[in-house]
Amino acid sequence: MMLARAAGDFYWMGRYFERAEHTARLLDYHLAHLVDTPADVLARGWQLLYAALAQPPPISPTETGDAEAFLVPDAFALAAHLIEDTENPDAIIQSWTKARDNAKQLRPWLPVRVWTCLNDGFLWLRDCDFTEYWAQGPNRLPAGVVDRLRHLSGVVEARMSRDNAWRFLELGRFVERLQLQTALLRAWSNPSNKNSQVWAGLLEVCAAYEAYCRTCSMVIQPRQALAFLIANPEVSRSLSFATRSVQVLLSDIDPAGGRYPRRAPHRRALRLAGAIETNLHASAEIADTQEFLGDFAEECRTLHDLIIAEYIDYPLEQGLPS
């Protein structure tokens, strides 16, 4: 048993970690290909990236002729907006700051090594010179963020007991992953987005390119790649994997809630898993998949609300023994 306040801090800390890594992975891939990518593909990539993050880009070209606007000089401003702009609530530095604020409230539960790693990463990002890193390579800074967050994940795995503190941390990560991956796939699934290079990029960002080539084909087919990232249970960034992880964590946190009559978060997670199985075979057209992803995104938001209401922000009398 743990305090709801502490459960909430662990849950949100997990969400902010996942959010920061998601943005950093997108930027790392995109900035690493600035030099050898055609201008129109580069512009399309920036548009998809901002759409996936549900943010309006500072520059929004509508024609291929405007693609030059997204070349290196403006890529600097776009990347800085997503990494170090403290006015942007979804920038990486903001996510890391909020995760650190949550961690400050959890020192009695948090192993010292985890706090030290988290705090070192925050101070490094806060004090780094973005221009200097950019000069070493456009993707140098987001790649460094990814490395530090993965190191932090390793320390968490090695140092934290598998108690409810760890479970709420992981639950936050996977709920955030569900929402972010759904938004990412929804942005990519636009029928006009048929460029195989862009789809290969999506598989790379999701660490699924090699698995796709082994399982499906060396030729990237948009519909097949989309279905792979939705329903493959062995790819850690697939919707199926994240949904299954949420179900397991909910069962460990609240074993009674998984039995009949199931509690609301358990029912919603089960509904998400069922939706993936049903739509995997029912979606014959990309447009259908877009509709499915729209509904799925709404279900994910509801799942988050139900988790908060059931385990974190519930009426006091509900938490007292009857």
Side-chain angles (χ1 to χ4, degrees):
M1 180 177 291
M2 67 186 306
L3 294 173
R5 175 182 57 78
D9 281 326
F10 273 110
Y11 177 80
W12 279 108
M13 190 166 67
R15 292 201 63 147
Y16 290 131
F17 284 156
E18 185 69 21
R19 193 174 303 175
E21 185 182 342
H22 181 79
T23 305
R25 282 188 299 103
L26 286 172
L27 282 172
D28 180 22
Y29 176 82
H30 200 65
L31 294 175
H33 294 79
L34 277 182
V35 176
D36 55 357
T37 302
D40 57 335
V41 176
L42 196 62
R44 182 63 181 155
W46 277 115
Q47 290 170 335
L48 290 171
L49 190 153
Y50 269 88
L53 297 175
Q55 295 187 44
I59 307 169
S60 181
T62 55
E63 299 177 359
T64 304
D66 294 329
E68 297 294 331
F70 279 93
L71 292 181
V72 176
D74 290 299
F76 177 89
L78 293 166
H81 176 67
L82 293 173
I83 295 176
E84 65 164 8
D85 187 352
T86 54
E87 300 298 319
N88 178 7
D90 294 320
I92 294 173
I93 184 65
Q94 288 288 62
S95 294
W96 211 315
T97 301
K98 292 171 184 172
R100 182 171 175 266
D101 290 342
N102 289 121
K104 285 179 182 176
Q105 310 301 320
L106 298 168
R107 295 299 298 275
W109 289 277
L110 212 57
V112 174
R113 188 71 186 88
V114 173
W115 164 255
T116 303
C117 187
L118 190 162
N119 196 46
D120 283 349
F122 166 76
L123 295 175
W124 165 76
L125 184 60
R126 185 196 64 181
D127 298 336
C128 75
D129 186 330
F130 181 73
T131 305
E132 183 180 323
Y133 273 89
W134 184 273
Q136 296 172 20
N139 70 319
R140 183 70 183 276
L141 187 54
V145 170
V146 172
D147 287 344
R148 284 178 178 268
L149 284 169
R150 287 176 179 169
H151 175 62
L152 175 59
S153 295
V155 174
V156 167
E157 288 296 306
R159 296 284 182 156
M160 286 189 70
S161 302
R162 297 305 186 261
D163 54 11
N164 277 344
W166 177 83
R167 293 183 188 112
F168 274 105
L169 177 68
E170 291 299 297
L171 183 63
R173 292 186 72 109
F174 281 107
V175 170
E176 182 74 13
R177 184 174 301 183
L178 264 179
Q179 292 188 242
L180 294 174
Q181 286 297 113
T182 303
L184 183 65
L185 297 182
R186 197 177 179 190
W188 249 258
S189 66
N190 190 305
S192 64
N193 183 25
K194 298 179 180 178
N195 189 304
S196 60
Q197 188 176 351
V198 174
W199 280 92
L202 174 65
L203 290 166
E204 288 277 7
V205 166
C206 296
Y209 182 78
E210 289 85 359
Y212 175 88
C213 291
R214 284 197 305 272
T215 307
C216 301
S217 168
M218 293 295 291
V219 179
I220 308 300
Q221 301 290 340
R223 284 178 53 186
Q224 196 174 36
L226 190 58
F228 186 77
L229 290 173
I230 290 174
N232 191 301
E234 297 174 348
V235 174
S236 65
R237 300 280 165 190
S238 74
L239 300 186
S240 176
F241 184 93
T243 302
R244 176 60 184 157
S245 299
V246 168
Q247 287 183 289
V248 171
L249 289 162
L250 285 173
S251 296
D252 290 343
I253 290 170
D254 180 17
R259 294 191 288 271
Y260 182 83
R262 294 175 187 269
R263 289 187 179 144
H266 294 261
R267 290 200 302 274
R268 191 64 55 166
L270 186 62
R271 185 167 165 171
L272 287 172
I276 291 172
E277 289 296 322
T278 302
N279 286 278
L280 174 64
H281 304 290
S283 298
E285 303 294 339
I286 290 291
D288 293 336
T289 305
Q290 277 199 305
E291 184 178 348
F292 159 68
L293 290 171
D295 294 340
F296 198 84
E298 188 61 37
E299 293 283 343
C300 291
R301 284 190 287 272
T302 304
L303 173 64
H304 162 76
D305 293 339
L306 292 172
I307 289 172
I308 295 293
E310 187 72 33
Y311 303 117
I312 296 171
D313 190 19
Y314 52 81
L316 180 60
E317 58 273 16
Q318 183 180 324
L320 296 175
S322 58

